[in-house]
Amino acid sequence: MSLHRCAALRTLLCGMVAGASLGQSRAQEPATAQTQPVKKTGRDAWAIQTEPQAIAKAREIVGLPERSPARLSAELVTLAEDNTPFLRDQIVGRPIWHVVIAGWKLELKSARPGEEDQYSRAFDLLIDPANGRLLKASSRWPEGVPPIAPEPSAQSAEEQMPRSGLEMYLGFPDAPPRVDLLRALDIVQQKGEGDPFLAKQIVAHYVVQTRMGGKARAVWAITLRGIGPIKPPPPGVSEDALNHVRNIIDGETGKFLGAGTCPQPDTPAPDAQRGGR
């Protein structure tokens, strides 16, 4: 079954998973909320040993031009929690580089005159110091914007994704992507679902994916969060089922492989958090 342009079907396949009361949306929190500093020892065997190297690797992965006014910084941290499905245990509890790209607006080559990013972005990139692999790239939720339901937990996503096309993430690719993140977002803009310029939050993983028992391949899985509903919600379906979409881009060729709304959030955002809507 193709992922291509079947978000409504994905909603039905994934369903809504019961969860506890949310409180403040996790989308509001930067990636550093649950981190600890790491001692500057034992780095000799790492591919990325210093802050400048981590920043340079982040620029390469993103495709960030030198002329960009973005501010970059790097820190070595250990995460206490993460929600990456199937791969969480490869991220938490060990040293990783946390690179921040702040004061940045997306620049996409396919943008028409007058089109521009609606937000000043702050991106958090998590990079494996041992080999320079990207573990996650996510923008922070804009300040002052009412939250939506947070992303599902890793466990919840791991339950939903196999039900929706036997999809799994097997690991992180050994080689860096031939298609950098900005190019992948440009492909989403041209051929995918949702508009990166309008998304309030962007969450990207570069992973080895398999689906429907097919051959594993290196892909960008890019979720646009806080977009207008991709279609009017049917009666009884929360807006939070349709205000996000995950696009899949081949990391080697740049081919758009499809899009859908799976995995679904564990529970909708309370009306009070939505500003009374």
Side-chain angles (χ1 to χ4, degrees), residues 105-126:
K105 285 180 175 282
L106 300 177
E107 295 184 30
L108 304 180
K109 293 181 179 179
S110 65
R112 296 186 294 269
E115 285 186 324
E116 64 176 19
D117 196 351
Q118 297 301 294
Y119 299 96
S120 179
R121 309 279 179 178
F123 264 81
D124 296 289
L125 275 72
L126 305 179

Side-chain angles (χ1 to χ4, degrees), residues 91-113:
I91 299 175
V92 300
R94 68 186 186 89
I96 56 175
W97 285 109
H98 171 215
V99 179
V100 178
I101 305 177
W104 178 40
K105 285 180 175 282
L106 300 177
E107 295 184 30
L108 304 180
K109 293 181 179 179
S110 65
R112 296 186 294 269

Side-chain angles (χ1 to χ4, degrees), residues 64-84:
L64 188 68
E66 290 292 336
R67 61 176 175 77
S68 170
R71 305 181 302 276
L72 285 82
S73 61
E75 179 185 16
L76 198 61
V77 301
T78 299
L79 266 66
E81 62 178 35
D82 181 74
N83 67 341
T84 303

Side-chain angles (χ1 to χ4, degrees), residues 97-272:
W97 285 109
H98 171 215
V99 179
V100 178
I101 305 177
W104 178 40
K105 285 180 175 282
L106 300 177
E107 295 184 30
L108 304 180
K109 293 181 179 179
S110 65
R112 296 186 294 269
E115 285 186 324
E116 64 176 19
D117 196 351
Q118 297 301 294
Y119 299 96
S120 179
R121 309 279 179 178
F123 264 81
D124 296 289
L125 275 72
L126 305 179
I127 296 174
D128 190 332
N131 46 40
R133 295 172 182 167
L134 175 70
L135 304 177
K136 179 186 286 187
S138 59
S139 67
R140 300 180 187 179
W141 193 265
E143 293 184 8
V145 176
I148 62 174
E151 295 181 279
S153 67
Q155 180 179 357
S156 175
E158 289 165 13
E159 293 170 355
Q160 295 181 56
M161 291 168 65
R163 294 200 303 263
S164 180
L166 300 178
E167 183 184 7
M168 293 183 66
Y169 296 162
L170 304 181
F172 299 101
D174 292 329
R178 293 185 179 179
V179 176
D180 61 44
L181 178 56
L182 276 175
R183 183 182 166 200
L185 285 167
D186 199 44
I187 294 165
V188 171
Q189 178 85 310
Q190 295 177 67
K191 301 179 180 179
E193 295 284 357
D195 186 343
F197 283 165
L198 299 179
K200 297 177 179 66
Q201 184 178 40
I202 298 169
V203 181
H205 296 91
Y206 186 59
V207 294
V208 178
Q209 178 219 46
T210 184
R211 192 171 180 282
M212 296 300 293
K215 181 180 178 181
R217 69 173 96 194
V219 303
W220 281 106
I222 300 176
T223 302
L224 306 182
R225 305 187 70 243
I227 59 176
I230 55 178
K231 63 182 299 184
V237 174
S238 168
E239 178 182 315
D240 283 312
L242 297 170
N243 60 11
H244 63 279
V245 62
R246 183 169 56 108
N247 288 267
I248 306 297
I249 308 295
D250 190 302
E252 295 292 309
T253 66
K255 181 180 179 181
F256 172 66
L257 300 176
T261 61
C262 185
Q264 287 289 325
D266 294 333
T267 185
D271 287 343

